[in-house]
Each structure stands twice: as C-alpha cells, then as structure tokens.
Amino acid sequence: MNALLLVTAAGLGLLAFFEPCTIATHTLFAVRANHDAARRRWITLVQLVLSRTILLATLFGITAWLGLESISLNTATAMLSVIGAIYLVSRKVYLPVPHIEFFRLLPQHGHLPQALKLGLTLPACTLPLVAVVGVLSALTHRPDMAMLAGLAFAAMFSLPTVWDSVRGLNAAHRAFLGKAANASPYVTALLLWSGAFLIWKTGI
C-alpha cells in the first residue's frame, strides 16, 4: 500500500499540472519567472514548491492520522469511475467548482507573493486527484508515508513549472502545452477507469 500511495501521488501530481484549469496559470507564472533575475526567480520557485509541499503534506498527513479502516471494492471502483466521468463531462460542460485558496486563511493574504498564493491553492480540476491520494493516505494509517506522498505530489506538480521557468517557453513548447491541456481530461479519465477496472478485475 505504501508503494502504491507514493507512485500514485507522483503520477497524479504530474497529471495535475496538465489539467486545463491549472496549466494556463502555471505557464503564465513560468513566463514571468523566466524574465526575472536568476536570484529572484529561484526565490519565487522555492516559495511555490515549499508552500505547495507543506500544504499537501499537511492535508495527506491529517487524512492518514484520521484514518480509514477499509473501503469496499465496489466503492473504490465506483469512485474512480465517477471521477473519470466528471473529467470527460468537464470538457463539454462548465462545472462551477471553485478553487480552494488556502492562502486566504493567512493574515494579510492580499499582500502575499504570487508564488505563495499559487502554491497554497488547489485548482478545481486537481481536487479529484488530490482526493484519490487522500483516500489512499487514510487507508495507510501512516502519517509519515502520507506526508511523503504530499512531497511526491507537490514535486511532480511543480516540476514542469520549475523547468519552464528556468528553460523558458518557445512557440513549439507552448503549442505542446496547449495540446496537452486539451488531451489531459481524456488521459485522466482513461487512467481512472483503468484503475477502476483493475480493482474490479483483480480485487486489489
């Protein structure tokens, strides 16, 4: 279960970057960071990655501490199937699900750097992915492993932004990101349905 948790967290974390409601904001952030002086750029990136890591490690750690004794195969299969369907529906129908902006819990949040605001926000289209990792974290009853999962999710979620901030974005790369954003809901749905089928077929 621990290995499954970490692999899932890393994979879904990377996938989270390419979701349509995420990729545009992070690409704009990377473009701005790329034009900053090197020292300022790295400070900004550290703020983004560190704040996101603390947020996700805390959330997953709490779910593991609260714990979940078990989840039936039917429930797990249904959950993944429904989430996959939601991603497909979201390509055609606007779903009014807000981002969760945790930075608003902090005093004087309006004056926080943009990197911290971005790191302390869970975009709406990433919430189901975070929920999947949260459930797995709860099943482990291991806050330490859950916090590692938060680190893995945050690292992979942030990796493309760090790369683009340092390397820059040319026209070809921007075109790739646009195509990736269009394809990601279908890829996400396929992966979730594959997971549901695997659970149903093997009883894992």
Side-chain angles (χ1 to χ4, degrees):
M1 177 62 76
N2 292 336
L4 176 63
L5 170 62
L6 295 178
V7 171
T8 301
L12 295 186
L14 181 60
L15 193 58
F17 170 82
F18 292 99
E19 297 299 340
C21 75
T22 302
I23 196 168
T25 306
H26 285 69
T27 299
L28 179 60
F29 176 88
V31 169
R32 290 175 175 172
N34 182 252
H35 287 88
D36 288 338
R39 183 174 182 276
R40 178 178 175 82
R41 181 192 311 133
W42 282 110
I43 290 174
T44 298
L45 291 173
V46 168
Q47 289 175 336
L48 170 67
V49 176
L50 188 59
S51 60
R52 178 170 287 158
T53 300
I54 291 172
L55 173 63
L56 290 170
T58 300
L59 291 177
F60 295 154
I62 290 173
T63 60
W65 176 69
L66 293 174
L68 183 65
E69 289 304 321
S70 64
I71 183 171
S72 70
L73 295 180
N74 289 338
T75 300
T77 301
M79 182 180 73
L80 294 179
S81 299
V82 169
I83 293 175
I86 290 173
Y87 274 101
L88 281 188
V89 170
S90 69
R91 292 298 299 135
K92 303 296 182 182
V93 180
Y94 171 70
L95 301 177
V97 179
H99 300 332
I100 301 181
E101 298 174 328
F102 288 92
F103 68 85
R104 294 188 180 278
L105 299 175
L106 300 177
Q108 297 185 330
H109 58 263
H111 300 289
L112 292 174
Q114 186 60 34
L116 290 180
K117 290 182 178 180
L118 190 61
L120 294 175
T121 297
L122 292 181
C125 52
T126 67
L127 296 179
L129 305 180
V130 172
V132 170
V133 180
V135 170
L136 288 176
S137 297
L139 289 171
T140 66
H141 294 271
R142 289 279 305 275
D144 56 339
M145 293 304 301
M147 293 177 74
L148 281 177
L151 172 61
F153 194 110
M156 297 306 291
F157 188 1
S158 305
L159 180 61
T161 305
V162 174
W163 177 268
D164 292 341
S165 297
V166 175
R167 303 280 296 184
L169 293 89
N170 56 30
H173 188 56
R174 294 188 189 191
F176 163 76
L177 292 178
K179 292 177 181 178
N182 289 329
S184 65
Y186 300 104
V187 174
T188 303
L190 179 61
L191 289 175
L192 292 171
W193 286 344
S194 297
F197 178 77
L198 181 65
I199 292 172
W200 174 73
K201 197 70 175 177
T202 65
I204 294 177

